[in-house]
Each structure stands twice: as C-alpha cells, then as structure tokens.
Amino acid sequence: MLELEEALERILAAVPPLVSERVVLAEANGRVVAEQLPSPIDLPLFDNSAMDGYAVRAEDVTSAKPDTQVRLRLIGRVAAGGSFAGEVSASTCVRLFTGSPLPRGADAVVMQEDTRVETGQADEILVLDSAKPWENVRLRGEDVKRGAMLADTGEVLTAGRISLLGSAGYGALSVGRRPAVGLLATGSELKEAGQTLSPGQIYESNRLSLAILVRRAGAVARVFPLVPDALVSTREALTEGLDKCDIIVTSGGVSVGEMDFVKRAWEEIGGSLQFWKVAIKPGRPFVFGRCWEKFLFGLPGNPVSAFVTFLLLVRPALLRWQGAREVGLLSHPAVLAEPLANPGQRRHFVRVKVDADGKVYSAGLQASHALSSLASANALVDVPPGVSLSAGTPVAVLRWE
Ligand code: AMP
Ligand code: MG
C-alpha cells in the first residue's frame, strides 16, 4: 500500500510530454497556457481620461475653488475613440469623456462635476476645483508595460486573464491539448436512471460526478455504457476505452473479491499495473495502470471513494497532462468549529462544510457510500491516522469547487 504522496508522484512522473494546440481566446477559459504570452503593447495604450470632464494644464487651475473660479477657453471635444489634432495651451481646455485620449499639452482632467458652463457662454468653462498634475489621467503603460508577461506556460486561464489577453490584442493562443477521458462504471448491480430496479440493484451515479470533475479539470469526458461484472465484458469495455480515449477512469471492481475484474482484464488486454492501494480513507483500493502512453485509473466503486480518489489522484494527472504547473486542490486556512477524530490507521479525508467565517463543521455521516454528506460538503480536511482534533484547531481545508 502506497502513501498518497508517493502514489501521486508516480502518477505525475508517468504523464507524457505536453502536446499543444491553437485555440481562439474566446474558447480558452480553463485551458492551460502552453507558451509565453508577452504584451505586444502598453496598457493603457495611450494616456486617456478616467472621467467625463475637461483636459487642462494643471498649472492653469491651481487656484480654482468654488468661490475663485478659473475661466478656460473650450477649444475642442474628443469622444472615446476619437483624437484631437490640436494642443491644450495656456488657459484652454478640451472636452473629454472616459477613455478619450488626452490631448497634447494637457496634463490633467478636471471632472465634469467640478465645472460649470454659463448660459450663453458655450465656449467657456468655469473650473471650480484645482487638479494635480496627472489627476484623472490613466497613463500609458501604467497597468502593463509592453513586453511584460501577460500569461506564462502552465497557467490555467481564468475569465480575468482572458480579458487581459484580449485587451492586448490576442485572438488565439497555444494551450495544452485536453485528454479524452473515458468513464466506465463496473458492477452488475448498476442501472441507468429510468430503468426498473430488480431486487439488489441500484442506480449508477459515479459517471455523473466524475464527468463533472473531469470537465472541470479541463479534460473531455466520454461516458461509456455500464459494464457488468464479467471478465469478457470488462476486457471489451477497456479495449474500447483504450481505442477511443487517452485515459480510462473506471469505478468499482478493483477490490479483492472474485467479482472484481478490472485489474485482470487490464493486464489481459496488454496493460500493466503500476500500483494498487493507497493509504487513504475513503479510497484504499485505487489502482493505477499504463498501456504505452495511455492510463488506467481504477477507482473504488463506493461513490465517495471514487469522488475523493479522483480529486486527490486523477485530477492532478489530468491537469499535468495539459501542462498545468499547479495541480493540487486549493488549500485554505480555517478553524474547526467542532472536533474531528480519525481513529483509523489511514489518513481520513473528512467531508466538511466551511462557512463564510472559515469555521469548519463535519458534513455528516462519513461512510464511503454516504452521498448526503458529500452533497453538503464544500471541502475536505486531511485528518492523520489516530488523531483527534479538538474544536478551535486550525486546519487546512481542501476545496474543489
Ligand atoms: P466495488 O468497488 O465494485 O466493490 O463497489 C463498492 C460499492 O460501491 C458497492 O456497494 C457498489 O454497489 C457501489 N458502486 C459501485 N459502482 C457504483 C456506481 N457507479 N454508482 C453507485 N454505486 C456504485
Ligand atoms: Mg463492484
């Protein structure tokens, strides 16, 4: 039985070299950047106004106050998207809007609310307040200097970063190719929703949760039909999975029972088993196999075990496959609101609920078939074997949402 860290290390070491592809920026959310992306331009690209107002020379309005108003001659108007050919000289100003380029000669913007126009004096502006040099001006390059890195290899793109890349003019970029992940559920007791259950049968649910987690890890989920507990069916399903996918994730059939066929079927179709069993709860009977550059992740059938082993051991592999640098779950500091105990001999990843104040509560029944607690949980806490943590203990919570 492997420790979690060693299991993860061995999985990540087996991930094949990155293959990249071009995608349009609009489709790149969640994709892993496969090249360095420097900014081809300064951002902002030109000095421009942060307000609706008037471009002025700050020195012309130093004495402006509500009762000592400064009179400026209005010499032009620049809408956002326009430009001004002239120059702001002494005691003149130019009408601007948010985003209008700052005309030559001006070094500040007086906001509209600090000005007044007298009736019949449309070419004159009364300034009611002073402006410091560069006040209300967004300076060229103050956000990003030309040549600065906007995104680096291995970063997972977010809406914010995509917005930044778009503002620098990127329309497409190289990202890691998404692996196709085949999801197989084994078990003769399993039925699809809508089918009638005979005595002893249950509804299948692992492919649902795993497909969501696969997609959230940036990979492509391919859901395969249910696989009954028989060697031939398991072999056929795995062969088809190998044929159509880069990675196969099975659930069930990896325990010690004589009805557990995944390991044997995998070896019979030419795969090798890299390791079996990891010292965690839930999820001990996890198996990792290879067939050339393709992988098998055999997850335990219990729904919570499948979910947790996916998060801890499969998700990192899918992310690394796409070239991601960070592959672990997000970890946040929090504090136990009630005790958590692990009387067992394996690390227990306990389902918990973290509230907005960072207080951590057990999410309920912790058995590996119990889905109600998984449904209410928003994090896991790693409790070492034989350890009782009292209320008030600071803990790290692992999050997947
Ligand atoms: P196994 O790992 O095949 O021994 O299955 C362990 C437990 O998980 C058994 O109670 C199975 O019925 C249940 N189980 C296995 N696969 C699934 C699945 N896909 N959906 C729901 N329950 C499952
Ligand atoms: Mg089974």
Side-chain angles (χ1 to χ4, degrees):
M1 187 150 59
L2 291 188
E3 290 301 321
L4 178 62
E5 279 74 17
E6 198 191 336
L8 186 56
E9 225 168 82
R10 285 171 65 169
I11 289 169
L12 293 180
V15 172
L18 178 72
V19 177
S20 64
E21 63 186 17
R22 297 287 290 175
V23 292
V24 297
L25 187 64
E27 309 274 302
N29 187 42
R31 303 299 299 268
V32 183
V33 180
E35 59 180 336
Q36 294 202 319
L37 298 169
S39 185
I41 54 176
D42 284 323
L43 292 174
L45 184 51
F46 46 84
D47 295 346
N48 70 90
S49 179
M51 295 282 177
D52 291 340
Y54 296 88
V56 301
R57 303 186 332 155
E59 63 189 286
D60 289 348
V61 298
T62 41
S63 62
K65 293 268 156 21
D67 46 2
T68 55
Q69 303 173 358
V70 170
R71 198 174 290 268
L72 298 177
R73 189 160 56 83
L74 182 63
I75 59 166
R77 180 178 186 276
V78 195
S83 64
F84 184 69
E87 184 171 345
V88 173
S89 52
S91 296
T92 68
C93 65
V94 169
R95 175 74 171 133
L96 297 184
F97 304 89
T98 304
S100 298
L102 190 73
R104 251 178 328 121
D107 66 356
V109 172
V110 175
M111 60 179 187
Q112 186 171 325
E113 291 84 340
D114 290 336
T115 64
R116 202 157 61 77
V117 182
E118 285 177 316
T119 31
Q121 304 278 340
D123 61 345
E124 278 192 356
I125 302 302
L126 292 171
V127 179
L128 316 181
D129 202 359
S130 61
K132 293 190 202 69
W134 309 113
E135 196 166 320
N136 298 325
V137 175
R138 307 192 287 206
L139 292 171
R140 172 175 186 156
E142 75 176 7
D143 187 14
V144 174
K145 293 266 183 301
R146 180 173 165 219
M149 214 49 75
L150 298 180
D152 211 343
T153 314
E155 269 180 66
V156 177
L157 287 175
T158 57
R161 196 160 297 282
I162 286 174
S163 177
L164 175 67
L165 289 166
S167 74
Y170 278 99
L173 74 163
S174 290
V175 296
R177 186 170 77 80
R178 304 168 181 273
V181 179
L183 295 173
L184 274 60
T186 75
S188 296
E189 74 280 27
L190 304 176
K191 287 277 148 159
E192 305 272 7
Q195 292 183 332
T196 313
L197 297 182
S198 303
Q201 296 185 324
I202 61 169
Y203 291 118
E204 197 281 326
S205 64
N206 287 342
R207 291 172 307 168
L208 287 171
S209 54
L210 295 173
I212 293 164
L213 298 177
V214 162
R215 291 189 192 108
R216 224 180 264 162
V220 178
R222 301 240 162 91
V223 177
F224 284 81
L226 296 173
V227 185
D229 291 316
L231 188 57
V232 176
S233 329
T234 311
R235 230 168 31 210
E236 283 171 2
L238 290 175
T239 304
E240 194 190 347
L242 266 184
D243 192 40
K244 296 187 172 152
C245 303
D246 302 296
I247 291 167
I248 300 176
V249 175
T250 61
S251 71
V254 288
S255 274
V256 294
E258 65 267 34
M259 298 306 284
D260 293 320
F261 293 108
V262 171
K263 299 199 296 302
R264 202 168 127 201
W266 180 252
E267 288 188 307
E268 286 188 10
I269 65 167
S272 67
L273 299 177
Q274 304 289 300
F275 63 82
W276 178 42
K277 289 190 184 169
V278 179
I280 54 171
K281 182 186 166 184
R284 172 171 43 188
F286 172 95
V287 65
F288 176 53
R290 271 188 92 158
C291 190
W292 303 100
E293 297 281 69
K294 300 198 173 186
F295 297 157
L296 167 71
F297 294 97
L299 315 186
N302 270 310
V304 182
S305 310
F307 195 97
V308 170
T309 49
F310 182 93
L311 290 177
L312 297 176
L313 292 163
V314 186
R315 182 181 176 276
L318 302 187
L319 288 168
R320 183 56 52 79
W321 212 93
Q322 299 165 80
R325 227 174 318 126
E326 303 285 339
V327 298
L329 294 171
L330 284 179
S331 171
H332 299 289
V335 175
L336 291 187
E338 55 190 29
L340 286 185
N342 178 8
Q345 289 172 1
R346 287 172 280 147
R347 284 160 76 170
H348 188 179
F349 287 86
V350 179
R351 280 150 270 168
V352 297
K353 222 161 27 181
V354 190
D355 70 12
D357 301 324
K359 290 215 191 75
V360 180
Y361 300 84
S362 166
L365 183 62
Q366 295 291 333
S368 55
H369 66 282
L371 281 172
S372 61
S373 56
L374 184 64
S376 343
N378 58 11
L380 297 171
V381 173
D382 176 5
V383 185
V387 165
S388 291
L389 303 172
S390 50
T393 307
V395 291
V397 293
L398 300 170
R399 307 196 68 153
W400 61 87
E401 294 288 352

